[in-house]
């Protein structure tokens, strides 16, 4: 990212073009850039994986981590409270999803109240025909209370610390296009989104440490669809299905019926066809930049699929009742994705032939259904149980093979949602609560700059200041004393912890040094506390 | 940082130009150095725009035009275009009878495909049937209900192609769990896009806004005025996306589609959150057609629906009572209805001092004085005024006019339609020319989509851009469009299956197997993917994962494309998984010849398959016993026109001809003609090649 690095690249490309007759100048660039990644070495056996769990649509975490203390619960959900239309059943939380964090001081929610998870996140009987029929599923509150999961409160996109007054002034530096799905999910993943070409912080961290891994094996993996998060400057993610990698079957057949799956005409059933196919896909040979990009996609796919499937084939099933039992639940296949990640982490730590020499990996898994404009209690009934079981199952699976401290999973989402509702749903907001899960997590606690916020309204409790204080006339319209003014009321919470602080804390655990972290997260310097200490 | 990137681009572009010249110069020297650029040797020249006769439009140019304007050229369409010329073809297409999915022709009950399926065949209509209906329009050809009546032959390729492009801008999706259960409602939505494809954008905006499927997808149906006692406010979803995705976009645009920058070099936002909030307040008071008694008392007639009338705004779950409510625009709840007087309490018109937003400032923009006066500077006054009668419908019309007249709409919509039909990176001048037609079609009309489509396709850049920017012109083909291309070019028909006709009681398990009906079962339309063969292309009509379509217009794949500052949206679905999966699909269809129109039917297969006519090209593939003495040139050159618009490079042609020449009569498989082996392999190698995959 430094000046001299870019200069180096530019000069080298121009020099290189004088020589070999290639159509693509930039096809060479990835190779050239490989020379300038961070210089890291990790001890044998020092393996770490970051697992980003992206919840598309903007999760209403204010109905996921909720006040449990009776008075706070009443203020939140009761008549005249913040969100009476989205009230949960407190009795169902008791003894099931209540979070036993410290009641005061460090690690407490900060407002003196006790919190609980939405009761749909509690353990459930395995009812399908899968492994462990009749047993209870994994659940996140148990993992939290055992000290392996933490809540990072009211986190979101910020350029620098922001107060309500600063937000309302027209000149303050804010993330562009707040409340827009695409822009805010991009910001969460790239931090900031303005770098060119656009890269994600998962990708940039992988760039920094790529040199520690054996070449050819993906350091970055997107399971069930990638996004900006998995785009590095040098490193390109492998984008696989939820449970396996898709192979080009034409290359998988030879005279023995089981070809390499690679461009290898020798011994192929129809070597002439394989040769012609592979010549047409040859890297950087095509005349049009889009053709070269397509060939790159195809070649990357061909080269990597077999490696991944080989690694998966020997891994434990991780299908115990408290891990990933079969035929889990509605709401998507986040469970299958995390089961696959657990298998790949196992493979990286068990000397699987063709899958050795890995010290660091970054995974991206994702699930949707969180844009709860209507019927939120019902949609959360689909999405949150899956989230709870998947995150807890992931911890349990790795713990069962002694690898729990090798991986840290953490949630991200476009944005939080409004504290107010719109007849059963909520609108796009800003700050939100997130989970961090893993054996290395200093769990059972709440984290975040906002905890203990001195001016917190009694009604809002943990969730900090609203954009427009509901008790004061709004200066924009001059009309409302309520949450329905057009001047950004509605209870959109200004984040009190930034994505950069959240991400930098994870990056430091990952083993990246302070100066490289500052490079990866250019806005981090705007925040006094750079690392939150949750892992 | 900016300057540095620019420096890199300059260096590269200049260098490539040098290299290109070098390659052309060396092309003739030897096989190892054959050019990867298209070569005029294999392309029979190019010519003027408005050329009516055979003498002027080459086969290659005709194929290239049809690639942009249809679901893929066929030999017959190429010949026809050559006989009538570009303008003649466009005129025919503008006049062609629209193929609707669920809207009958006037006076012809059940003539639309899904009505025939539901009411004549008595089958339950689901998403598979909707995809069948879509393929009917996309593939064209005879109608399954009237297979021998040419008046029902589907020929409206351009309208269908534009409607598909619109469906990738105005997105709804069967991935939405509620919509998934209402395939007929989604078909009705798609019919609005078909209807308005050559109409006016303002009408399109209104039809989209009031369609129940969109109302359900982006939450405008049942959206209501604030109720502070409940801490409830209007939903912003539709108010946000209609601006961000359907009309003006996030940043102010110049007339050529480039972003306007402030003094600090940052893009200028088109609107702020307060604007979206105000739109949300305007878009209130609309609900399902049958939530209101007007639905059943249109003429003060007695009720015809023997159910329970909800006539209640907040508790109306209409489609579960009366699915046809999905086939009518949403209604404003404040209109007088028999025998009641209408209920205005759910629409925010600014008159409630506590709950409403007041004198709502919608989009503010620079425009002509006349336009600005007409839209009152974007301010919707409270209650009845000169600008609105203060009803839900009056306020909605004001809001849509406010959007429609924003100067961003022309370049925003022009650029996206160009990207869907022609090229991912149009020059600003091309965008400006098309946007200019959007702003004024020459007769003073704004928003004339027919004129916009014509301007896009006849623009010099659409016709000649491949020569001006050979190293970057074009777009990656969408997987679904490769499939339609393959099927159209290879004479696809539905075949086999057992003709099981339901009687009276409908049953989803029945499948009446009529000729030209494209069975929506089995492998044919499966859009998922796995590691097995032939599981589809991971794309289908109205099946995007989110409102941001299958891909975002701004997507740029990492590496060279990004580094050059180009976008290539379709690469968002050219992932490692999908390129392999699509490749496997074409291995199944093409390489292994598994879907052959001449194959024996499986008596146990109730649904049959879409099959193609490989044998139609046997004569091209050879005339004797193969090998080098009976070469494959003619087949490769024919496919070069039909599939690649004559743009196959000398290198690729050499690869194909050399390999296919090794195939001879010893490759005969039992009674199967050896020449089919050349056809299979040529198809697979072409359809999976980078050169084919980029439409140029």
């Amino acid at each position: 990212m430094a000046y001299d690095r870019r200069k180096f690249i530019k000069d080298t490309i121009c020099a290189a073009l004088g020589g070999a007759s290639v159509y693509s100048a930039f096809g060479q660039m990835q190779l050239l850039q490989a020379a300038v990644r961070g210089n890291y070495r990790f001890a044998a056996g020092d393996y770490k994986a970051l697992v980003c769990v992206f919840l598309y649509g903007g999760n209403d975490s204010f109905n996921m981590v909720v006040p449990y203390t009776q008075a706070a619960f009443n203020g939140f959900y009761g008549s005249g409270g913040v969100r009476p239309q989205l009230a949960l059943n407190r009795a169902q939380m008791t003894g099931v999803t209540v979070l036993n964090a410290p009641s005061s001081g460090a690690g407490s929610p900060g407002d003196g109240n006790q919190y609980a998870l939405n009761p749909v996140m509690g353990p459930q009987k395995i009812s399908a025909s899968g492994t462990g029929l009749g047993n209870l599923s994994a659940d996140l509150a148990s993992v939290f209370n055992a000290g392996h999961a933490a809540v990072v409160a009211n986190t979101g996109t910020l350029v620098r610390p922001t107060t309500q007054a600063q937000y309302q002034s027209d000149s303050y530096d804010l993330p562009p296009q707040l409340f827009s799905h695409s822009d805010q999910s991009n910001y969460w993943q790239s931090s900031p989104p303005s770098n060119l070409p656009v890269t994600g912080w998962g990708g940039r961290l992988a760039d920094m440490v790529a040199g520690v891994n054996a070449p050819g094996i993906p350091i970055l993996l997107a399971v069930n669809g990638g996004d900006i998060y998995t785009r590095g400057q040098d490193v390109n993610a492998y984008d696989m299905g939820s449970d396996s990698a898709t192979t080009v079957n034409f290359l998988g057949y030879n005279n023995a019926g089981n070809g390499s799956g690679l461009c290898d005409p020798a011994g192929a059933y129809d070597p002439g066809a394989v040769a012609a196919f592979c010549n047409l896909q040859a890297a950087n040979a095509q005349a049009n930049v889009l053709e070269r990009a397509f060939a790159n996609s195809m070649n990357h796919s061909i080269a990597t699929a077999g490696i991944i499937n080989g690694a998966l084939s020997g891994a434990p099933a991780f299908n115990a009742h408290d891990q990933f039992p079969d035929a889990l639940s509605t709401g998507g296949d986040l469970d299958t994705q995390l089961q696959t990640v657990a298998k790949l982490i196992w493979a990286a730590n068990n000397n699987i032939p063709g899958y050795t020499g890995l010290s660091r990996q970054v995974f991206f898994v994702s699930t949707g259904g969180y844009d709860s404009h209507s019927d939120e209690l019902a949609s959360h009934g689909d999405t949150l149980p899956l989230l709870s079981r998947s995150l807890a199952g992931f911890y349990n699976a790795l713990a069962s093979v002694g690898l729990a401290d090798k991986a840290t999973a953490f949630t991200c989402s476009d944005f939080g949602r409004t504290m107010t509702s719109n007849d059963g749903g909520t609108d796009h907001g800003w700050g939100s609560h997130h989970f961090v899960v893993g054996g290395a997590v200093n769990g059972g606690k709440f984290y975040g700059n906002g905890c203990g916020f001195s001016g917190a309204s009694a009604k809002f409790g943990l969730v900090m200041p609203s954009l427009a204080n509901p008790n004061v006339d709004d200066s924009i319209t001059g009309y409302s004393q309520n949450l329905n003014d057009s001047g950004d009321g509605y209870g959109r919470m200004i984040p009190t912890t930034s994505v950069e602080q959240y991400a930098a804390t994870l990056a430091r655990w990952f083993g990246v040094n302070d100066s490289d972290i500052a490079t990866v997260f250019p806005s981090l310097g705007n925040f006094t506390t750079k690392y939150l200490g949750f892992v | 940082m900016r300057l540095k990137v620019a420096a890199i681009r300059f260096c590269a572009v200049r260098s490539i130009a040098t290299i290109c010249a070098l390659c052309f110069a060396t092309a003739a020297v030897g096989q190892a150095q054959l050019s990867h650029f298209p070569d005029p040797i294999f392309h029979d020249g190019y010519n003027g725009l408005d050329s009516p006769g055979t003498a002027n439009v080459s086969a290659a140019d005709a194929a290239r035009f049809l690639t942009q304007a249809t679901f893929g050229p066929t030999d017959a369409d190429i010949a026809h275009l050559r006989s009538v010329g570009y303008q003649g073809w466009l005129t025919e297409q503008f006049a062609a009878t629209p193929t609707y999915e669920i809207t009958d022709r006037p006076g012809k009950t059940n003539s639309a495909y899904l009505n025939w399926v539901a009411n004549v065949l008595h089958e339950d209509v689901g998403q598979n049937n909707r995809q069948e209906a879509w393929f009917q329009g996309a593939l064209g050809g005879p109608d399954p209900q009237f297979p021998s009546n040419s008046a029902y032959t589907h020929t409206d390729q351009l309208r269908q192609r534009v409607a598909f492009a619109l469906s990738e801008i105005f997105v709804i999706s069967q991935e939405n769990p509620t919509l998934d259960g209402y395939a007929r409602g989604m078909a009705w939505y798609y019919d609005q896009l078909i209807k308005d494809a050559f109409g006016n954008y303002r009408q399109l905006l209104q039809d989209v806004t009031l369609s129940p499927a969109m109302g359900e997808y982006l939450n405008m149906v049942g959206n209501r005025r604030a109720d502070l006692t409940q801490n409830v406010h209007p939903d912003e979803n539709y108010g946000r996306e209609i601006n961000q995705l359907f009309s003006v976009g996030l940043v102010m645009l110049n007339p050529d589609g480039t972003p306007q920058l402030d003094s600090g070099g940052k893009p200028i936002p088109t609107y702020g959150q307060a604007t979206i909030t105000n739109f949300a307040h305007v878009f209130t008071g609309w609900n399902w057609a049958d939530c209101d008694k007007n639905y059943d008392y249109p003429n003060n007639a007695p009720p015809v629906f023997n159910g329970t009338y909800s006539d209640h705004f907040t508790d109306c779950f209409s489609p579960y009572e009366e699915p046809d409510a999905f086939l009518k625009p949403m209604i404003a709840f404040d209109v007088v209805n028999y025998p009641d007087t209408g209920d205005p309490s759910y629409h925010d018109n600014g008159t409630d001092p506590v709950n409403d937003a007041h004198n709502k400032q919608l989009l503010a923009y620079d425009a002509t004085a006349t336009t600005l006066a007409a839209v009152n500077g974007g301010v919707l006054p409270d209650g009845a005024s000169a600008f609105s009668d203060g009803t839900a419908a009056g306020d909605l019309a004001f809001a849509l006019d406010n959007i429609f007249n924003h100067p961003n709409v022309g370049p925003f919509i022009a650029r996206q339609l160009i990207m869907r039909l022609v090229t991912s990176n149009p020059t600003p001048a091309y965008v400006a020319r098309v946007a200019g037609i959007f702003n004024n079609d020459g007769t003073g009309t704004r928003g004339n989509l027919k004129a916009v489509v014509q301007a896009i396709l006849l623009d010099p850049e659409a016709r000649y851009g491949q020569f001006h920017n050979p190293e970057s012109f074009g777009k990656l083909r969408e997987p679904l469009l490769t499939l339609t291309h393959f099927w159209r070019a290879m004479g696809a028909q539905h075949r086999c299956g057992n003709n099981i006709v339901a009687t009276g009681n409908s049953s989803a398990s029945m499948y009446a197997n009529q000729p030209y009906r494209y069975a929506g079962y089995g492998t044919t339309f499966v859009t998922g993917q796995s590691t097995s063969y032939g599981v589809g292309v991971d794309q289908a009509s109205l099946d995007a994962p989110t409102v941001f379509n299958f891909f975002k217009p701004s997507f740029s794949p990492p590496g060279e494309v990004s580094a050059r500052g180009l976008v290539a949206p379709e690469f968002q679905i050219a992932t490692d998984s999908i390129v392999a999966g699509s490749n496997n699909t074409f291995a199944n269809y093409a390489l292994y010849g598994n879907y052959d129109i001449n194959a024996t039917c499986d008596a146990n297969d109730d649904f049959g398959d879409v099959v193609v006519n490989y044998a139609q090209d046997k004569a091209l593939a050879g005339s004797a016993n193969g090998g080098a003495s009976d070469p494959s040139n003619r087949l490769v050159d024919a496919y070069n026109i039909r599939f690649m618009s004559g743009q196959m490079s000398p290198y690729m042609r050499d690869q194909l001809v050399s390999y296919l020449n090794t195939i001879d009569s010893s490759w005969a498989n039992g009674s199967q003609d050896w020449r089919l082996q050349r056809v299979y392999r040529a198809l697979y190698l072409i359809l999976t090649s980078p050169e084919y995959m980029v439409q140029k």
Side-chain angles (χ1 to χ4, degrees):
Chain A
M1 303 288 277
Y3 167 79
D4 54 350
R5 172 179 168 176
R6 289 199 169 273
K7 182 171 182 298
F8 163 77
I9 294 164
K10 169 176 168 277
D11 292 344
T12 313
I13 289 170
C14 291
L17 285 173
S21 173
V22 291
Y23 284 94
S24 168
F26 289 93
Q28 301 291 317
M29 193 155 115
Q30 293 193 343
L31 295 175
L32 297 172
Q33 286 184 329
V36 293
R37 56 179 58 137
N39 188 20
Y40 286 89
R41 295 203 191 287
F42 298 115
D46 175 10
Y47 173 92
K48 287 180 179 174
L50 283 174
V51 184
C52 178
V53 179
F54 205 92
L55 313 177
Y56 282 107
N59 180 29
D60 184 11
S61 59
F62 302 140
N63 245 38
M64 178 174 78
V65 180
V66 303
Y68 176 73
T69 302
Q70 187 74 55
F73 181 91
N74 293 349
F76 200 65
Y77 287 128
S79 174
V82 178
R83 33 173 49 181
Q85 290 201 327
L86 298 171
L88 302 176
N89 185 332
R90 185 173 179 274
Q92 291 175 350
M93 305 172 192
T94 306
V96 184
T97 60
V98 175
L99 302 178
N100 298 321
S103 59
S104 63
S108 77
D111 60 0
N113 292 314
Q114 190 167 29
Y115 282 77
L117 300 184
N118 187 317
V120 300
M121 300 175 79
Q124 293 150 359
K125 279 235 168 80
I126 304 299
S127 58
S129 58
T131 312
L133 181 66
N135 287 308
L136 288 176
S137 69
D139 80 285
L140 194 52
S142 298
V143 176
F144 180 96
N145 289 333
H148 308 307
V151 171
V152 184
N154 198 35
T155 303
T157 60
L158 290 172
V159 177
R160 57 187 71 248
T162 302
T163 66
Q164 180 185 329
Q166 287 165 335
Y167 172 80
Q168 289 175 335
S169 75
D170 282 339
S171 56
Y172 201 69
D173 208 358
L174 296 169
Q177 305 300 344
L178 285 168
F179 323 126
S180 152
H181 284 293
S182 52
D183 296 86
Q184 293 303 298
S185 61
N186 285 356
Y187 199 116
W188 258 96
Q189 296 183 26
S190 58
S191 294
S194 57
N195 56 84
L196 284 173
V198 177
T199 58
W201 57 268
R204 297 199 299 273
L205 289 176
D207 283 340
M208 285 292 178
V209 300
V212 304
N213 282 3
I217 304 174
I219 186 171
L220 260 179
L221 281 105
V223 181
N224 190 36
D227 205 334
I228 286 172
Y229 185 80
T230 53
R231 291 174 56 166
Q233 198 124 332
D234 301 355
V235 173
N236 201 357
Y238 180 72
D239 191 331
M240 63 180 291
S242 294
D243 60 358
S244 62
T246 308
T247 55
V248 171
N249 293 326
F250 165 64
L251 300 174
Y253 284 88
N254 63 9
N255 288 322
N258 56 350
S260 63
L262 302 174
C263 271
D264 182 15
Y269 178 74
D270 185 350
V274 170
F277 175 87
C278 294
N279 284 342
L280 294 178
Q281 308 286 344
N284 297 323
Q286 297 76 17
N288 182 295
V289 53
L290 301 178
E291 295 170 0
R292 291 194 292 274
F294 182 80
N296 279 346
S297 290
M298 184 64 80
N299 290 326
H300 189 255
S301 179
I302 290 169
T304 316
I307 295 172
I308 296 298
N309 287 338
L312 288 171
S313 64
F318 292 129
N319 61 357
H321 67 89
D322 64 345
Q323 299 172 13
F324 301 101
D326 299 341
L328 200 51
S329 55
T330 55
D333 68 353
L334 183 63
D335 48 350
T336 305
Q337 296 173 40
L338 283 171
Q339 184 179 26
T340 300
V341 173
K343 289 178 181 180
L344 289 171
I345 290 171
W346 179 89
N349 286 279
N350 280 278
N351 291 317
I352 303 303
Y355 204 71
T356 58
L358 290 168
S359 286
R360 290 293 183 275
Q361 284 186 298
V362 177
F363 294 90
F364 182 80
V365 300
S366 62
T367 183
Y370 284 92
D371 192 16
S372 50
H373 283 272
S374 60
D375 298 327
E376 178 173 303
L377 293 177
S379 65
H380 259 175
D382 283 341
T383 53
L384 292 184
L386 180 69
L387 178 65
S388 174
R389 293 167 72 161
S390 299
L391 289 174
F394 180 68
Y395 175 83
N396 292 342
L398 290 180
S400 74
V401 291
L403 296 173
D405 61 343
K406 303 283 191 188
T408 301
F410 55 96
T411 59
C412 298
S413 191
D414 314 13
F415 35 61
R417 304 191 77 85
T418 57
M419 294 304 298
T420 66
S421 62
N422 51 36
D423 237 5
T426 51
D427 242 305
H428 304 181
W430 195 356
S432 63
H433 306 321
H434 288 279
F435 293 118
V436 184
V437 181
V441 172
N442 184 8
K445 295 175 180 168
F446 285 72
Y447 293 85
N449 298 347
C451 296
F453 171 70
S454 60
S457 150
K459 274 187 178 177
F460 288 84
L462 177 64
V463 294
M464 333 297 165
S466 166
L467 294 189
N469 188 323
N471 298 315
V472 178
D473 277 3
D474 180 80
S475 59
I476 295 177
T477 65
Y479 270 97
S480 69
Q481 302 187 6
N482 57 60
L483 305 171
N484 275 308
D485 61 72
S486 60
D488 299 323
Y490 295 6
R492 292 185 162 92
M493 298 298 131
I494 301 173
T496 38
T497 293
S498 75
V499 172
E500 280 79 2
Q501 293 169 296
Y502 184 58
T505 309
L506 293 161
R508 189 191 232 188
W509 171 77
F510 200 53
V512 177
N513 65 42
D514 290 356
S515 105
D516 283 347
I517 286 174
T519 303
V520 171
F521 302 104
S523 301
L524 183 65
N526 296 337
F527 299 90
T528 311
T529 303
K530 297 190 170 43
Y531 307 110
L532 304 176
F534 54 75
V535 64
Chain B
M1 199 170 203
R2 258 185 149 58
L3 286 173
K4 297 269 174 277
V5 173
I8 291 172
R9 290 184 58 191
F10 176 73
C11 150
V13 169
R14 194 182 53 179
S15 303
I16 282 175
T18 313
I19 291 166
C20 300
L22 184 71
C23 299
F24 279 128
T26 57
V29 172
Q31 181 174 306
Q33 291 175 317
L34 288 172
S35 173
H36 292 257
F37 278 100
D39 193 315
I41 291 171
F42 306 110
H43 173 290
D44 38 7
Y46 70 92
N47 30 51
L49 280 182
D50 194 6
S51 45
T54 336
N56 291 325
V57 183
S58 71
D61 283 346
R64 185 168 172 276
F65 181 91
L66 291 167
T67 299
Q68 297 168 347
T70 73
F71 284 93
T74 66
D75 285 359
D77 284 359
I78 291 168
H80 180 67
L81 174 58
R82 299 185 72 188
S83 73
V84 298
Y86 296 131
Q87 184 64 64
W89 187 87
L90 287 171
T91 304
E92 283 178 4
Q93 285 291 305
F94 289 142
T97 305
T99 299
Y100 288 117
E101 296 185 353
I102 199 166
T103 306
D104 288 331
R105 291 195 188 185
K108 297 282 185 187
T109 303
N110 295 330
S111 58
Y113 181 79
L114 290 178
N115 291 334
W116 173 62
V117 170
N119 303 327
V120 178
L121 302 180
H122 301 293
E123 296 174 16
D124 284 343
V125 172
Q127 295 293 351
N128 282 337
N129 302 104
R130 185 177 64 77
Q131 298 297 349
E132 291 165 22
W134 185 84
F135 275 101
Q136 193 84 82
L139 300 180
D143 187 272
Q145 187 177 185
F146 311 103
S148 53
N149 183 344
S150 63
Y152 284 89
T153 298
H154 303 288
T155 60
D156 58 330
Q157 277 287 300
L158 179 61
R159 181 185 291 274
Q160 295 292 327
R161 187 71 185 78
V162 173
F164 181 65
L166 293 173
S167 79
E168 298 193 299
I169 300 171
F170 300 87
V171 173
I172 66 168
S173 174
Q174 72 184 52
E175 296 300 312
N176 175 292
T178 303
L179 291 186
D180 188 39
Y182 295 94
R184 297 169 70 244
M186 293 182 67
W188 190 83
Y189 176 83
Y190 204 83
D191 280 357
Q192 306 313 300
L193 305 184
I194 293 170
K195 172 173 81 70
D196 295 335
F198 300 150
N200 194 285
Y201 172 86
R202 172 67 176 77
Q203 183 68 43
L204 174 66
L205 205 56
Q206 175 151 327
D207 289 340
V208 163
T209 299
L210 291 182
S211 78
M214 181 59 83
E216 180 68 34
Y217 192 59
L218 294 181
N219 310 96
M220 186 172 144
V221 65
N223 191 28
R224 55 181 282 201
R225 164 185 262 164
D227 176 357
L228 298 189
T229 65
Q230 295 284 311
N231 204 5
V232 165
H233 62 77
D235 192 296
E236 296 177 351
N237 210 13
Y238 192 67
R240 182 182 309 281
E241 306 305 4
I242 189 178
N243 281 289
Q244 180 173 340
L245 299 176
F246 303 165
S247 59
V248 297
L250 289 169
V251 301
M252 290 300 298
L253 302 176
N254 294 309
D256 63 7
T258 55
Q260 294 182 17
L261 304 179
D262 64 18
S263 56
K266 286 185 176 171
I268 301 169
T270 313
Y271 49 79
Q273 174 56 33
T275 314
I276 298 306
T277 300
N278 283 332
F279 272 105
H281 280 255
V282 174
F283 294 147
T284 50
W286 296 83
N287 218 322
W288 303 98
D290 72 339
C291 288
D292 184 288
K293 286 178 183 171
N294 275 340
Y295 177 69
D296 288 295
Y297 294 87
N299 304 304
N300 288 353
V304 292
F305 170 54
N306 187 24
T308 306
Y309 298 104
S310 58
D311 204 23
H312 187 284
F313 193 86
T314 54
D315 289 339
C316 182
F317 298 103
S318 163
Y320 302 100
E321 297 168 7
E322 177 48 80
D324 280 357
F326 254 117
L327 310 188
K328 296 173 167 40
M330 294 188 291
I331 50 100
F333 220 64
D334 57 2
V335 296
V336 175
N337 56 358
Y338 176 86
D340 300 327
T341 53
D343 186 348
S345 61
Y346 297 101
H347 172 63
D348 175 337
N349 65 355
T351 57
D352 181 330
V354 177
N355 290 308
D356 287 1
H358 299 284
N359 295 313
K360 302 177 187 73
Q361 174 67 59
L362 305 181
L363 295 171
Y365 44 83
D366 289 332
T368 65
T370 314
T371 300
L372 282 181
V375 300
N376 197 31
V379 176
L380 174 60
D382 291 348
S385 69
F387 299 95
S388 168
D389 59 6
T391 64
D395 288 355
L396 181 79
F398 181 90
L400 297 183
D401 284 342
N402 172 254
I403 294 172
F404 175 59
N405 286 296
H406 193 288
N408 266 24
V409 179
F412 185 85
I413 293 295
R415 181 163 174 273
Q416 289 208 50
L417 285 176
I418 292 169
M419 291 172 74
R420 297 278 56 78
L421 301 178
V422 178
T423 183
S424 295
N425 295 283
T427 63
Y430 182 12
V431 174
R433 288 190 292 271
V434 176
I437 296 295
F438 182 97
N439 295 341
N440 182 348
D441 65 357
T443 70
T445 299
R446 177 180 176 81
N448 179 348
L449 293 175
K450 183 195 290 187
V452 166
V453 168
Q454 172 154 321
I456 288 171
L457 292 172
L458 295 186
D459 191 272
E461 187 161 325
R463 304 274 46 85
Y464 309 131
Q466 76 278 28
F467 301 118
H468 295 150
N469 295 301
E471 77 281 6
S472 64
F473 188 85
K475 64 192 277 283
L476 184 69
R477 293 178 199 260
E478 297 174 47
L480 183 60
L481 297 180
T482 63
L483 185 61
T484 61
H485 186 185
F486 169 67
W487 275 346
R488 279 174 51 78
M490 294 304 293
Q493 282 185 21
H494 185 262
R495 236 184 118 260
C496 301
N498 297 315
N499 188 26
I500 306 168
V501 181
T503 53
N505 296 333
S506 64
S507 165
S509 64
M510 303 291 184
Y511 188 81
N513 217 306
Q514 309 287 317
Y516 304 106
R517 186 177 178 191
Y518 298 104
Y521 298 88
T523 56
T524 305
F525 301 135
V526 174
T527 56
Q529 36 168 318
S530 75
T531 53
S532 59
Y533 278 122
V535 290
V537 295
D538 211 57
Q539 194 187 15
S541 156
L542 299 184
D543 193 23
T546 73
V547 72
F548 295 98
N549 193 28
F550 304 98
F551 37 77
K552 298 172 192 167
S554 60
F555 184 83
S556 178
E560 186 182 3
V561 178
S562 283
R564 285 174 176 247
L566 301 173
V567 297
E570 293 81 1
F571 273 91
Q572 198 172 342
I573 50 171
T575 64
D576 294 294
S577 297
I578 293 175
V579 295
S582 294
N583 190 298
N584 292 338
T585 295
F586 284 108
N588 198 25
Y589 277 118
L591 182 61
Y592 300 115
N594 280 346
Y595 293 90
D596 190 336
I597 204 164
N598 297 310
T600 307
C601 291
D602 175 355
N604 296 320
D605 174 10
D606 282 345
F607 302 116
D609 275 306
V610 178
V611 291
V612 300
N613 189 355
Y614 305 103
Q616 70 178 13
D617 296 327
K618 262 193 315 195
L620 290 168
S623 52
N625 290 315
S629 60
D630 180 17
S632 58
N633 309 24
R634 286 199 305 141
L635 180 69
V636 172
D637 291 343
Y639 281 3
N640 181 18
I641 299 294
R642 201 190 297 165
F643 289 102
M644 296 180 62
S645 308
Q647 293 171 305
M648 188 184 290
S649 72
Y651 175 83
M652 179 170 172
R653 183 177 183 278
D654 176 69
Q655 286 288 318
L656 293 182
V657 169
S658 301
Y659 163 62
L660 295 172
N661 282 352
T662 66
I663 296 172
D664 59 26
S665 55
S666 71
W667 288 57
N669 183 7
S671 61
Q672 195 180 53
D673 195 310
W674 68 271
R675 291 175 295 182
L676 291 179
Q677 302 295 339
R678 279 189 175 171
V679 172
Y680 297 157
R681 283 162 173 75
L683 285 170
Y684 174 73
L685 291 172
I686 288 171
L687 291 169
T688 60
S689 69
E691 284 194 28
Y692 167 77
M693 281 304 297
V694 177
Q695 165 191 322
K696 294 179 284 292

